[in-house]
Amino acid sequence: MADLATTDDLPTPTTKGEQTRRSILLAAIERFGQDGFRATSVADIARDAGVSGTLANASFENKEALFLAALDTDVAEVIDEGVSSVLETTGDDAWRGTLIFTLMEAVERHPLARRMLAGLEPRVTDRITELPALEELRTAVGDRLRADQEAGLVRPDIDPAVIGGGAVSIFITLLMAVVQFGPEAVETYGDDVLAVLEAAIDTRGPTG
């Protein structure tokens, strides 16, 4: 069994109960990401987390609840890395390329998010659209597009919020494709998507 996953998405535990829940959740992300929902038992996860099965069952209502909590946490962490890249990248429109490659690199570090995006858990694939973190990403992209618009870098006739939401949808679809084709496709597909986005909205046309 690989080392347990780590994530900054979880709040720092302050009580023993919160520490136990965190350990179980991290073990669940790793185990569900490796073996999938059907092949994984709560006993497997409890053993990986170093706790009793009784304690694991007391921390989450059932296996389904644990799986969904683990999935939401792992996918939200990928998206949060994207949000951070949009907010922190400075210098003209460099954030666009940074966002695409940040999301692609992040998903390689998050096993359960990668499994879901690869289509290996089809019954929950659409859950990503319900995450608050995805709305945060849409807002962040829209705000940056609006700032680029005010700086004369983006066409004045587009709605930044609408284009931002559409761009995020394309990025998520791209993540699914890259996960299925493998990490070697990152650079090629990322550059292509960026070129299409710039051709559509940039006052200067595509760069490169």
Side-chain angles (χ1 to χ4, degrees):
M1 183 69 183
D3 293 337
L4 296 185
T6 59
T7 176
D8 295 328
D9 191 57
L10 297 173
T12 301
T14 57
T15 68
K16 185 174 181 180
E18 290 173 349
Q19 291 172 350
T20 297
R21 182 181 174 88
R22 178 190 176 103
S23 296
I24 295 169
L25 199 52
L26 294 177
I29 289 171
E30 187 69 30
R31 176 67 75 161
F32 281 132
Q34 174 180 291
D35 297 336
F37 178 79
R38 291 186 179 279
T40 297
S41 68
V42 175
D44 293 330
I45 294 168
R47 183 168 54 252
D48 293 344
V51 302
S52 69
T54 301
L55 192 55
N57 284 315
S59 299
F60 294 88
E61 183 178 356
N62 51 39
K63 177 180 159 181
E64 174 84 6
L66 176 54
F67 176 75
L68 293 178
L71 177 64
D72 288 354
T73 297
D74 210 36
V75 175
E77 178 69 7
V78 173
I79 296 172
D80 285 344
E81 288 193 38
V83 172
S84 295
S85 77
V86 172
L87 297 177
E88 296 171 3
T89 302
T90 58
D92 293 336
D93 53 2
W95 65 271
R96 301 178 200 169
T98 300
L99 170 59
I100 293 174
F101 290 105
T102 295
L103 289 172
M104 291 180 180
E105 291 170 1
V107 78
E108 290 300 313
R109 298 191 299 274
H110 293 275
L112 188 49
R114 186 171 63 247
R115 183 178 181 85
M116 186 270 285
L117 290 168
L120 298 177
E121 300 289 346
R123 65 194 182 86
V124 294
T125 300
D126 60 352
R127 192 173 179 85
I128 189 172
T129 63
E130 304 171 5
L131 294 177
L134 193 63
E135 185 56 36
E136 291 177 16
L137 181 58
R138 292 191 188 101
T139 299
V141 170
D143 288 347
R144 283 303 297 260
L145 286 175
R146 187 172 294 105
D148 286 352
Q149 199 174 48
E150 292 170 355
L153 301 175
V154 167
R155 286 168 37 192
D157 60 324
I158 69 166
D159 183 328
V162 172
I163 297 300
V168 169
S169 296
I170 292 172
F171 296 161
I172 296 302
T173 301
L174 176 65
L175 281 181
M176 293 180 177
V178 167
V179 166
Q180 294 180 47
F181 288 130
E184 65 277 0
V186 169
E187 186 171 350
T188 299
Y189 287 99
D191 286 340
D192 289 349
V193 169
L194 183 59
V196 170
L197 177 61
E198 290 182 346
I201 69 172
D202 203 316
T203 56
R204 302 160 299 171
T207 60

